[in-house]
Amino acid sequence: MAKSLLLVGFSFLLLDFVAADHSPLQDFCIAQAGSSVLVNGLACKDPKMVQANDFSFSGLHLPGNTSNAAGSRVTPVFAAQLPGPNTLGISLARVDYAPWGINPPHIHPRASEILVVQEGTLEVGFITSNPDNRLISKVLQKGDAFVFPQGLIHFQRNIGTGNAFAIAALGSQNPGVITIGNAVFGANPDVSADILAKAFQVDKSVVNQIQSKF
């Protein structure tokens, strides 16, 4: 019995070791744009070819264009836009909001996020997992910060009369974004209206109407 427990414990330790991200084995791994090498992440540029510009991004002082249905614009600074953070587990984004604009409910499957309001007043919140599905929300003013845990649905809304913007820092060079409405109602090919009608407890005609907007 003791031997079996020891074996199970060893197996869990081994699984944890194999599943965890490894610490970097070099100073940096600048993302190599256009590389044909397929890895879990982005292939590394030759360190001898690395320049200061690989670590630098400009333009975050410029407002994003919020002329869209949501009334918001995200300017990401992920490894795809800035090669320097590749493998370092960090990234950020600027989020602009028109008056009453929203950053729609979405998740980041690979990162937690901390958002700092730079201008305006934002209503922010996230929803806990089943079965509670508890909404945790707060109104933020300029200079306030709020944390969104990894993998939980969250959102922001500008409740002021003027434009607003925030800076978000995320714990991955490629946090991923799944916008709930786009994913559910804008999937390619479409999710069956029968499935969505039953899931959302509405008539199929309602589902078809929503899908037509995506």
Side-chain angles (χ1 to χ4, degrees):
M1 180 65 175
K3 184 178 292 185
S4 298
L5 290 174
L6 183 63
L7 181 60
V8 170
F10 177 76
S11 298
F12 275 112
L13 286 173
L14 181 62
L15 180 62
D16 181 64
F17 174 77
V18 172
D21 289 337
H22 298 292
S23 299
L25 301 179
Q26 55 200 46
D27 289 342
F28 46 75
C29 172
I30 302 302
Q32 178 66 62
S35 173
S36 60
V37 177
L38 300 178
V39 296
N40 184 21
L42 298 170
C44 300
K45 183 177 182 178
D46 183 345
K48 296 184 179 63
M49 304 299 292
V50 170
Q51 303 293 329
N53 283 343
D54 292 319
F55 300 93
S56 176
F57 183 93
S58 299
L60 287 176
H61 64 295
L62 300 173
N65 183 359
T66 58
S67 299
N68 52 61
S72 68
R73 176 70 62 184
V74 177
T75 303
V77 188
F78 302 163
Q81 292 78 34
L82 176 63
N86 188 41
T87 75
L88 298 182
I90 55 170
S91 61
L92 58 82
R94 172 179 173 138
V95 190
D96 287 276
Y97 314 82
W100 296 101
I102 65 168
N103 189 7
H106 62 282
I107 68 172
H108 300 295
R110 294 180 289 276
S112 294
E113 171 185 349
I114 183 166
L115 180 124
V116 182
V117 179
Q118 303 293 308
E119 197 66 51
T121 303
L122 297 180
E123 176 188 3
V124 305
F126 65 85
I127 302 166
T128 64
S129 55
N130 297 350
D132 294 338
N133 300 131
R134 181 183 170 205
L135 172 62
I136 297 176
S137 64
K138 185 176 176 64
V139 173
L140 304 182
Q141 307 292 341
K142 181 178 179 178
D144 292 345
F146 196 82
V147 172
F148 303 107
Q150 179 175 340
L152 296 186
I153 296 173
H154 60 284
F155 62 86
Q156 303 104 41
R157 177 171 66 157
N158 178 8
I159 59 174
T161 57
N163 293 330
F165 84 95
I167 296 293
L170 301 106
S172 170
Q173 67 271 8
N174 182 24
V177 182
I178 302 173
T179 305
I180 306 305
N182 298 59
V184 174
F185 295 103
N188 184 20
D190 289 342
V191 178
S192 168
D194 290 326
I195 294 173
L196 296 181
K198 179 168 281 191
F200 288 93
Q201 301 177 40
V202 297
D203 190 81
K204 282 175 57 177
S205 62
V206 176
V207 172
N208 292 331
Q209 182 183 15
I210 298 175
Q211 286 180 321
S212 70
K213 298 180 181 299
F214 291 91

